[in-house]
Amino acid sequence: VGLILVAVVIGGLAYYTSHRDRRGAAPAAVGQKLLPTLAVNDIERMTLVSVGSTASVLRTKDGWVVPEKYNYPADFNKIRTALQTLADLKIGQPIPATSAQKAELNLLSPRLPATTNQEGQCGMEIALSGGQGKSPLTLVIGKQHERVATGSGAGGYPDSRYVAGADGKVYLVTELLMEF
């Protein structure tokens, strides 16, 4: 009976300490859309910026084109899939991150000046622009989160990705965002 009582107390302490850190995170945000105001049909331009490289696609009356490549036609299905993925993107976990932690997660803006732009610490910025009078939505995608393999001895595998919104808040999202 004494051993059972000790086991219950130890189990209770283990449960309490393992769930203690989760109470500080905003549980209401988990499962919510990251970009709830994103209207896919209103997007007219998508710009992808990484260190030393910028690419964009523009919607015209004739379809989507790549303006940097003399309005070469872009693949509508790939653009639609990418935009729909962003629209459906859900928060897996809010991450309270300092500037140093953002650098470790590759969430620094690639638009930083060259003097402060640290190689390997910047992510890819996605800027979505709509019609007149609409402010663009921006998002920086960083490192993939790797799930640790259990029992097999093999390495982990990616299961989610770190992202930072225009407001600087960091989230772990449930998609790998391979479209980008």
Side-chain angles (χ1 to χ4, degrees), residues 17-179:
T17 57
S18 69
H19 288 82
R20 176 178 57 201
D21 295 334
R22 294 184 190 167
R23 284 184 274 151
V30 174
Q32 300 294 317
K33 287 190 176 187
L34 182 63
L35 303 170
T37 61
L38 178 60
V40 173
N41 292 332
D42 293 342
I43 301 300
E44 294 180 1
R45 177 183 287 266
M46 178 170 50
T47 304
L48 307 174
V49 180
S50 60
V51 176
S53 178
T54 300
S56 61
V57 289
L58 176 68
R59 187 173 67 186
T60 66
K61 63 179 167 93
D62 297 324
W64 288 90
V65 297
V66 183
E68 294 89 358
K69 300 294 181 186
Y70 307 102
N71 290 336
Y72 188 81
D75 187 342
F76 170 75
N77 290 326
K78 288 182 180 180
I79 295 169
R80 181 190 62 189
T81 301
L83 290 174
Q84 194 60 50
T85 299
L86 288 177
D88 295 338
L89 201 59
K90 293 191 177 165
I91 297 170
Q93 179 181 352
I95 308 286
T98 64
S99 295
Q101 291 168 326
K102 287 179 185 178
E104 289 177 25
L105 298 174
N106 294 1
L107 290 173
L108 297 180
S109 173
R111 296 181 190 256
L112 290 173
T115 56
T116 60
N117 194 347
Q118 301 297 321
E119 187 67 32
Q121 295 180 339
C122 295
M124 177 186 292
E125 181 180 283
I126 302 169
L128 304 171
S129 305
Q132 296 175 350
K134 294 187 178 184
S135 59
L137 291 170
T138 59
L139 183 71
V140 176
I141 60 175
K143 280 187 178 178
Q144 292 179 348
H145 175 268
E146 297 216 357
R147 179 177 297 266
V148 178
T150 56
S152 68
Y157 58 91
D159 66 345
S160 51
R161 187 175 290 271
Y162 295 99
V163 299
D167 58 0
K169 292 182 181 177
V170 176
Y171 301 98
L172 190 61
V173 296
T174 56
E175 293 288 331
L176 292 176
L177 300 173
M178 298 305 289
E179 295 84 0

